[in-house]
Amino acid sequence: MRLHTLVGSGLLLACLGGVSYAGCVNQHEQQQKVDLGASQSVKDLMAARGLTDADVEAALKTYVPPGKHDEYMIFASGGQSGNVNVIGVPSMRLLKVIGVFTPESWQGWGFGGDSNKILADGHQAGHEISWADVHHPNLSETKGDYDGEFLFVNDKANARVAVVDLKDFATKQIVANPLAASDHGGAFVTPNTDYVIETSQYPAPLGRDYAPLSEFKEKYRGVAVFWKFDRQKGRIDKTQSWAIELPPYTQDLADAGKLDSDGWAFINSFNSEMATGGTLDKKPPIESGASQNDMDYLHIINWRKAEELIKAGKGTEIKGMKVLPLSVSGAEGVLTLVGEPKSPHGCDVTPDGKDIVVGGKLDTHATVYSFEKVKKLIEEKKFEGKDDFGLPILSFKDAIRGQVEIGLGPLHTVFDDKGYAYTSVFLESVVAKWSLKDLKTVEKVKVHYNIGHILSAEGDTVSPDGRYVVAMNKMSMDRFTGVGPLYPQNFQLVDITGEQMRILSDAPIGNAEPHYSQMIKVDKLKTIKAYPPGTNAEGQVDENRVEGGKERIERKDGEVHVWMTAIRSHFTPDIIEVEQGEKVVLHITSVESGEDQTHGFTIDMYNVNVSLEPGKHENITFVADAPGVYPFYCTEFCSALHLEMQGWLLVKPKEKSASAPEADKKTGG
Ligand SMILES: [Cu+2]
């Protein structure tokens, strides 16, 4: 061992050459006594807990003492939870779960307040959807580097994209894809976040139309939507968004070009066989039908050109969105195909934008395409042929820079700052490190188990940080104490600073399958601690914001409006009387301004719960249809008199409300 720096309990130790941690700590214990609890020494403690020097080294690299902060933050897809997990690095502590597509009651996300309006924008064809299969979080970028302003995530199951504002870590917008019935290649941003790209997964007639499977080739299609992002407003501008029609191959992961390849996008696909299954009729299942060809197609998209053509009126309108047809894309050089080895999955552009790395699930290689070669072939129109939809196909061998022998089942690739790439290898359960320069694998580290996605510190930007790789493992088998048949996922933090990769810690994620994640340096984030007074879920100062002293109850247009404030430790007003059947509209503003002084507001039985962070405003509407006495109270422990922060909603029965004397009324019980 070379140099070890131990920082902890106010003790800074530097031990040089050839000394074990226990020995090293022993020397210094003489100088400064540390309270080791029941243990006599660090050595005893290590022996009692069965820890090796390597364990202690890993602990020292990941331990974040009480009161200290993590250096990086991971935004991890919450998979079937429909939400996003925020995790600190190197501690791997869960810092927050951001409510996105799925109601999240702590944040009052989707329980009667203004967030319901944002969730309602994500309805598809008038259907309320209260869950999602979140796949790929992508941070906003400026010049190809994370800028810490926004996060975009896609919902594979219902073809939607959400915008999360990183000023307050709250979802601000959900857009429903009007064309596709599922998505996967999303939500990838172009280098300046001009567009958020969302590409479909399973082909279907565009615009949610019907066509029988016998017309698969004619009527079924894939699609890539380019959602225009308005940075000033912090929202996707649906009116400026457009799409490119894709052939009915199953489009998979995607990435936007950067630097040399800026203006381009790349999408994998599988099932170029266009297998449609039919297992009940003894036809082969899609899994075998889709694995017949040796090659599938990487889609190469010149999106700048597509944007010009859309502006020139070359798109056709489907469900209110301009779509560039296949015939135009093929002829104009917008969409070109090139073969890619069997069942490709990850599609990752290198930090310099010069190469595109594709992993093949049923192949042992990562294939590295040279953008320069690809671009030249397209410019010179050197095509090997055309597919069934008239799309030009490039020669595989002329388009690649080479292939890296990786192992069984390479999937996704991320990068460091020293010219290495790290590929997740699903079947072999390893992370493979390889050199971008000579395309040789240099090392593999075993992970536990069946790694799917992989991330590294700012590893898909133009300037990766190196330092850490995280293996996102789909199975955890024997790694944790049993919690029933549904196992936690396992994030493994890998140190990539040394000659060899080292696993530092296991972090069970007890919340659905994390697909992609991104890791950002925390100093890039500019979060707020309180809202400007009266700010609603959409980020605007609400027209119904309430100031202290202006609280009131008014009846208008058959509705009871209550302008209410919340401050430690009372609501004003705290008694609300309505008639059965009246519509109640509560406008509640937290008039707190102090850091971490959050209140909540809930009412018995009406499925209402909102979170009132300092300055936050919520509008809550419900019909008081059942007579009774409904306590409302603050759900966030806010002060010593938190339990007293309550009030009453009295819903008077219709038939008795006019004249019945108090004594005649039923008492509760
Ligand atoms: Cu409170």
Side-chain angles (χ1 to χ4, degrees):
M1 273 172 221
R2 298 183 307 276
L3 173 77
H4 309 296
T5 305
L6 313 184
V7 187
S9 311
L11 182 71
L12 177 70
L13 306 173
C15 299
L16 282 166
V19 186
S20 76
Y21 278 108
C24 168
V25 173
N26 272 346
Q27 285 173 25
H28 291 276
E29 265 170 27
Q30 266 98 63
Q31 294 162 19
Q32 189 171 344
K33 206 70 194 157
V34 184
D35 185 356
L36 295 166
S39 303
Q40 295 302 303
S41 66
V42 170
K43 200 174 176 180
D44 288 346
L45 196 54
M46 287 169 66
R49 297 206 60 219
L51 301 176
T52 63
D53 279 4
D55 292 334
V56 175
E57 187 195 351
L60 291 176
K61 281 179 169 165
T62 56
Y63 178 65
V64 176
K68 295 278 182 354
H69 295 188
D70 279 301
E71 207 182 334
Y72 286 90
M73 217 179 258
I74 291 174
F75 291 90
S77 85
Q80 306 96 309
S81 78
N83 292 328
V84 166
N85 298 315
V86 184
I87 298 161
V89 177
S91 73
M92 300 305 281
R93 296 178 296 192
L94 178 68
L95 298 172
K96 194 167 200 173
V97 175
I98 304 174
V100 183
F101 297 104
T102 301
E104 202 291 319
S105 52
W106 166 50
Q107 289 147 82
W109 183 250
F111 292 94
D114 294 322
S115 57
N116 284 47
K117 286 186 246 166
I118 297 170
L119 285 161
D121 286 339
H123 294 177
Q124 281 283 21
H127 286 69
E128 183 182 343
I129 305 164
S130 59
W131 90 287
D133 187 9
V134 168
H135 271 243
H136 311 111
N138 250 243
L139 290 153
S140 57
E141 295 179 8
T142 299
K143 293 182 180 166
D145 210 355
Y146 301 154
D147 54 41
E149 291 189 354
F150 297 93
L151 181 77
F152 308 93
V153 291
N154 69 311
D155 165 18
K156 168 172 162 165
N158 309 292
R160 301 178 297 168
V161 169
V163 180
V164 177
D165 192 332
L166 295 179
K167 278 202 294 293
D168 60 349
F169 281 47
T171 304
K172 290 291 183 292
Q173 185 184 25
I174 297 175
V175 291
N177 186 326
L179 305 170
S182 66
D183 70 31
H184 195 243
F188 297 95
V189 299
T190 53
N192 283 312
T193 322
D194 297 316
Y195 288 102
V196 181
I197 306 170
E198 181 200 17
T199 61
S200 60
Q201 179 126 73
Y202 306 116
L206 297 188
R208 297 184 174 275
D209 275 347
Y210 170 78
L213 279 164
S214 58
E215 294 174 17
F216 191 83
K217 218 169 134 179
E218 299 74 37
K219 302 269 178 73
Y220 286 56
R221 290 292 180 265
V223 69
V225 174
F226 286 72
W227 293 108
K228 179 75 186 161
F229 186 63
D230 183 333
R231 172 90 66 162
Q232 227 60 44
K233 292 188 178 137
R235 302 290 183 275
I236 283 168
D237 182 350
K238 289 196 261 187
T239 65
Q240 300 298 310
S241 303
W242 45 270
I244 301 175
E245 182 186 17
L246 301 177
Y249 310 135
T250 305
Q251 281 79 27
D252 200 31
L253 273 169
D255 203 0
K258 51 176 92 100
L259 300 174
D260 284 21
S261 52
D262 187 10
W264 295 71
F266 309 93
I267 312 169
N268 271 334
S269 70
F270 59 92
N271 197 9
S272 52
E273 299 85 349
M274 294 180 273
T276 55
T279 44
L280 207 55
D281 299 327
K282 304 276 188 272
K283 287 183 193 159
I286 295 169
E287 62 170 320
S288 69
S291 308
Q292 300 305 307
N293 296 349
D294 285 335
M295 288 280 188
D296 290 293
Y297 293 120
L298 175 67
H299 297 36
I300 301 156
I301 293 177
N302 183 342
W303 65 257
R304 279 243 165 80
K305 179 106 187 210
E307 187 185 45
E308 282 169 24
L309 292 168
I310 289 283
K311 280 182 184 156
K314 296 288 165 80
T316 44
E317 196 161 310
I318 306 175
K319 292 280 159 76
M321 187 173 267
K322 295 260 181 350
V323 184
L324 201 64
L326 275 179
S327 54
V328 178
S329 299
E332 298 279 353
V334 164
L335 176 55
T336 309
L337 306 176
V338 63
E340 50 184 359
K342 219 165 180 151
S343 286
H345 195 47
C347 173
D348 301 287
V349 177
T350 53
D352 57 13
K354 290 183 193 298
D355 297 317
I356 304 108
V357 180
V358 166
K361 286 177 291 186
L362 301 179
D363 187 56
T364 57
H365 300 96
T367 301
V368 182
Y369 295 84
S370 157
F371 178 70
E372 197 185 339
K373 289 183 180 184
V374 163
K375 198 178 166 200
K376 196 156 178 277
L377 290 169
I378 294 171
E379 278 168 2
E380 293 173 357
K381 295 193 186 322
K382 281 195 180 157
F383 306 127
E384 207 177 50
K386 284 187 176 174
D387 78 342
D388 292 350
F389 304 91
L391 298 172
I393 304 170
L394 305 180
S395 146
F396 174 73
K397 71 170 179 26
D398 292 344
I400 64 168
R401 182 157 78 81
Q403 288 189 292
V404 195
E405 186 66 46
I406 298 270
L408 291 176
L411 299 183
H412 307 278
T413 302
V414 288
F415 307 95
D416 73 4
D417 55 339
K418 296 182 183 67
Y420 290 105
Y422 300 80
T423 299
S424 57
V425 191
F426 178 77
L427 294 173
E428 219 176 300
S429 289
V430 298
V431 169
K433 175 181 175 181
W434 52 277
S435 159
L436 275 169
K437 192 160 160 253
D438 54 19
L439 307 186
K440 291 271 187 310
T441 296
V442 295
E443 195 201 349
K444 285 181 183 181
V445 65
K446 195 92 189 130
V447 291
H448 313 88
Y449 303 91
N450 296 91
I451 178 173
H453 278 272
I454 185 168
L455 73 120
S456 62
E458 310 216 345
D460 56 9
T461 68
V462 293
S463 59
D465 283 10
R467 314 267 315 260
Y468 303 108
V469 154
V470 176
M472 283 172 269
N473 305 316
K474 303 215 180 263
M475 290 170 201
S476 62
M477 262 81 108
D478 51 25
R479 303 304 284 187
F480 309 110
T481 309
V483 288
L486 185 58
Y487 282 54
Q489 314 285 321
N490 187 13
F491 274 24
Q492 287 188 302
L493 183 66
V494 183
D495 180 2
I496 58 165
T497 56
E499 286 289 299
Q500 291 185 314
M501 291 184 278
R502 271 249 345 253
I503 290 177
L504 296 175
S505 66
D506 279 16
I509 306 293
N511 184 12
E513 182 189 344
H515 295 271
Y516 195 47
S517 303
Q518 288 186 331
M519 192 195 302
I520 184 174
K521 197 88 187 292
V522 293
D523 60 16
K524 285 188 174 172
L525 298 161
K526 305 278 178 281
T527 54
I528 56 167
K529 291 179 174 164
Y531 289 105
T535 303
N536 61 26
E538 288 167 309
Q540 277 104 39
V541 173
D542 199 273
E543 57 180 10
N544 280 300
R545 67 170 278 215
V546 190
E547 288 169 45
K550 297 195 175 159
E551 300 91 344
R552 63 204 185 275
I553 300 175
E554 283 173 19
R555 279 183 164 72
K556 60 171 190 180
D557 310 325
E559 297 175 349
V560 184
H561 285 254
V562 181
W563 284 272
M564 182 190 280
T565 56
I567 193 164
R568 277 159 290 167
S569 301
H570 55 272
F571 295 107
T572 306
D574 54 4
I575 297 169
I576 305 166
E577 287 184 285
V578 302
E579 310 276 328
Q580 179 185 0
E582 274 188 311
K583 192 191 243 187
V584 181
V585 188
L586 306 175
H587 310 283
I588 315 175
T589 302
S590 163
V591 290
E592 299 279 1
S593 58
E595 184 176 356
D596 204 7
Q597 298 301 332
T598 295
H599 299 289
F601 178 91
T602 186
I603 309 178
D604 170 41
M605 208 188 79
Y606 284 97
N607 201 35
V608 164
N609 182 47
V610 295
S611 173
L612 296 162
E613 297 94 88
K616 180 90 169 288
H617 179 90
E618 288 278 5
N619 300 291
I620 302 162
T621 303
F622 62 96
V623 176
D625 56 356
V629 173
Y630 303 94
F632 57 79
Y633 70 94
C634 170
T635 49
E636 183 93 15
F637 203 102
C638 56
S639 69
L641 296 174
H642 160 74
L643 295 179
E644 289 80 352
M645 191 163 175
Q646 67 123 134
W648 315 98
L649 169 72
L650 301 156
V651 183
K652 294 188 255 183
K654 233 175 197 166
E655 62 279 12
K656 293 187 180 175
S657 58
S659 57
E662 199 63 27
D664 285 359
K665 287 189 180 175
K666 258 195 196 164
T667 51

